[in-house]
Amino acid sequence: MQKMAITFYVCDVLENKIYSSATINTLGVGQSDIKVYNMAFQRINPSAPQISQLLAQANSQIIDYYTVHYSDLVAETDRLVEMEQYDEAITKLITVPSVCVEAYNDAQSRCVSIYHKKMDALAAMQKARTNKEGLVLIQQAKAAWASRQDYESASKALAILAQISPEAECIDQAKEFIQSINDKLRTDEFNQAQ
């Protein structure tokens, strides 16, 4: 048999902040420490006044905290977005609890906006990478074509150009180069036919 005082906390582990705490005295009985602790926890009434006060006080403290500090949180997330740290900004905003209705709704809206900015930034990065790769492929194709300017080198150049994404900005340059290869081969055929 063991008397014990069990302390409950409502806290924010990310911010390292305790909103409320309550201690409940209880008794545990058992043949081992584990059984004593299990019995002690089972004897705690979830609707005990200390727990109700703990939750009410924590609820009030959480609302007060986010009412006072939400603008700081927004400023910090805006700074993170400027540094293109979108995931960190979203993570901070999703910590706003739903009991803070106005801040919660605003945070959710901001999360959606930040997510769209992140997707736009990723799309821009992908587009830039695609364009850079396309320009490199065009240079490789030009080198392959310049080696002999015949059907074999044209075939090599066209195989390289086929790797360019149709969404690359340089696709028009690739098409122009294909047309110039085609024009050169037709001119050569025409000259050989005469």
Side-chain angles (χ1 to χ4, degrees):
M1 180 183 297
Q2 223 177 5
K3 287 184 178 180
M4 55 182 77
I6 299 175
T7 303
F8 294 91
Y9 295 97
V10 174
C11 58
D12 181 343
V13 293
L14 295 175
E15 297 291 328
N16 198 22
K17 178 166 179 48
I18 297 173
Y19 291 109
S20 183
S21 66
T23 301
I24 296 178
N25 294 317
T26 186
L27 181 66
V29 179
Q31 295 175 349
S32 69
D33 286 344
I34 293 173
K35 289 182 180 183
V36 169
Y37 286 114
N38 283 339
M39 175 63 77
F41 277 102
Q42 288 175 0
R43 292 178 56 109
I44 296 173
N45 181 359
S47 59
Q50 298 98 316
I51 293 180
S52 297
Q53 289 173 353
L54 164 84
L55 296 175
Q57 182 182 7
N59 196 28
S60 174
Q61 291 288 328
I62 290 169
I63 291 171
D64 289 345
Y65 177 80
Y66 280 99
T67 300
V68 172
H69 294 98
Y70 183 68
S71 60
D72 297 336
L73 179 69
V74 168
E76 185 176 354
T77 58
D78 288 346
R79 182 184 58 80
L80 289 169
V81 168
E82 286 176 15
M83 296 184 329
E84 297 182 359
Q85 295 178 350
Y86 304 108
D87 292 337
E88 292 84 351
I90 290 171
T91 300
K92 287 199 173 287
L93 287 170
I94 63 173
T95 62
V96 177
S98 60
V99 295
C100 307
V101 178
E102 284 184 35
Y104 176 80
N105 290 337
D106 184 63
Q108 295 301 304
S109 174
R110 287 177 184 276
C111 283
V112 170
S113 174
I114 292 169
Y115 179 77
H116 287 299
K117 285 181 183 178
K118 177 184 175 181
M119 290 299 105
D120 290 345
L122 289 174
M125 285 173 43
Q126 179 61 34
K127 186 174 183 179
R129 183 172 37 249
T130 300
N131 291 336
K132 184 177 178 181
E133 290 169 356
L135 291 172
V136 168
L137 290 170
I138 289 173
Q139 291 306 316
Q140 290 173 356
K142 285 182 178 180
W145 169 245
S147 66
R148 296 196 342 230
Q149 293 192 356
D150 59 6
Y151 282 105
E152 185 180 330
S153 62
S155 178
K156 288 178 184 177
L158 292 174
I160 293 170
L161 292 172
Q163 298 174 44
I164 297 174
S165 169
E167 287 139 21
E169 287 180 0
C170 62
I171 196 69
D172 290 336
Q173 287 178 327
K175 288 177 181 177
E176 288 174 11
F177 183 52
I178 291 169
Q179 186 60 47
S180 70
I181 291 172
N182 190 27
D183 291 346
K184 168 75 168 112
L185 292 175
R186 285 186 184 204
T187 302
D188 289 350
E189 282 179 6
F190 181 76
N191 289 339
Q192 286 178 355
Q194 290 187 359

